[in-house]
Amino acid sequence: EAGVAQSPRYKIIEKRQSVAFWCNPISGHATLYWYQQILGQGPKLLIQFQNNGVVDDSQLPKDRFSAERLKGVDSTLKIQPAKLEDSAVYLCASSLGGQPYGYTFGSGTRLTVV
Amino acid sequence: AQSVAQPEDQVNVAEGNPLTVKCTYSVSGNPYLFWYVQYPNRGLQFLLKYITGDNLVKGSYGFEAEFNKSQTSFHLKKPSALVSDSALYFCAVYNQAGTALIFGKGTTLSVSS
């Protein structure tokens, strides 16, 4: 089975610039998650989709972050404008949906804001 | 609110020795507990999970975890550590809505030869 695909793997941008990340989940997985992993911390949920609807975006900084999931498959996460504190690994994961299922994670996108 | 705690930032063991990575949890209701491992520049990989049933759960790569309800713990164990087990380990629990995982801060395991 193909895994969760993410791109790009690495991105370096200047503060106040914009950036977008892409995720393609495992086929058939209805639930898609974006997590932010800051160095030295555990992953923190940013947003969760069920098919193409948002289940939870309570921790998404909506003044600068946005996300969408087109046709319930691929998803993009955008940051505009970026701040230095946005430097992190952005992880996409997919799941059959809620407990008791685990997730399959992509390799992540490492963002450095300078 | 559901949460997990990993009290150790780093665990150091010699190859061939048993290893334990600690996790305690705080939940209302029945816990759904997970362990994931992260190798450098990689995403998180599933190791094992506890849903219900036997308190000793066996997972990938020879790892197992012991669920202890009275101590609210879910420690990860392996009888004989390998250098290749060196990585970052995360404990996780489902949120109260049962929709998303909440992760601990992680424990770095270093196995020396």
Side-chain angles (χ1 to χ4, degrees), chain A residues 31-107:
Chain A
T31 308
L32 184 147
Y33 307 85
W34 284 102
Y35 279 79
Q36 180 192 56
Q37 185 180 11
I38 293 173
L39 187 65
Q41 300 179 20
K44 183 187 83 171
L45 179 69
L46 291 176
I47 190 167
Q48 175 189 349
F49 293 94
Q50 179 76 17
N51 297 309
N52 60 350
V54 175
V55 174
D56 183 356
D57 63 357
S58 59
Q59 297 189 84
L60 187 74
K62 298 181 187 63
D63 58 333
R64 299 184 300 106
F65 286 64
S66 64
E68 61 180 2
R69 188 178 185 193
L70 301 174
K71 299 181 181 178
V73 183
D74 292 5
S75 177
T76 56
L77 177 69
K78 298 179 181 178
I79 307 175
Q80 182 179 12
K83 293 185 175 181
L84 296 177
E85 59 261 37
D86 298 332
S87 294
V89 176
Y90 291 84
L91 295 164
C92 178
S94 69
S95 169
L96 286 169
Q99 63 190 21
Y101 302 105
Y103 297 176
T104 302
F105 281 89
S107 296

Side-chain angles (χ1 to χ4, degrees), chain B residues 12 16 36 43 46 66 76 86 88 105-106 110:
Chain B
N12 300 307
Y36 283 82
F46 170 79
E66 185 173 9
L76 182 69
S86 298
L88 184 55
K105 64 179 175 65
S110 179

Side-chain angles (χ1 to χ4, degrees), chain B residues 38-50:
Chain B
Q38 186 176 35
Y39 298 100
N41 300 312
R42 302 284 296 277
L44 280 70
Q45 296 178 32
F46 170 79
L47 278 180
L48 52 79
K49 67 179 178 182
Y50 173 82

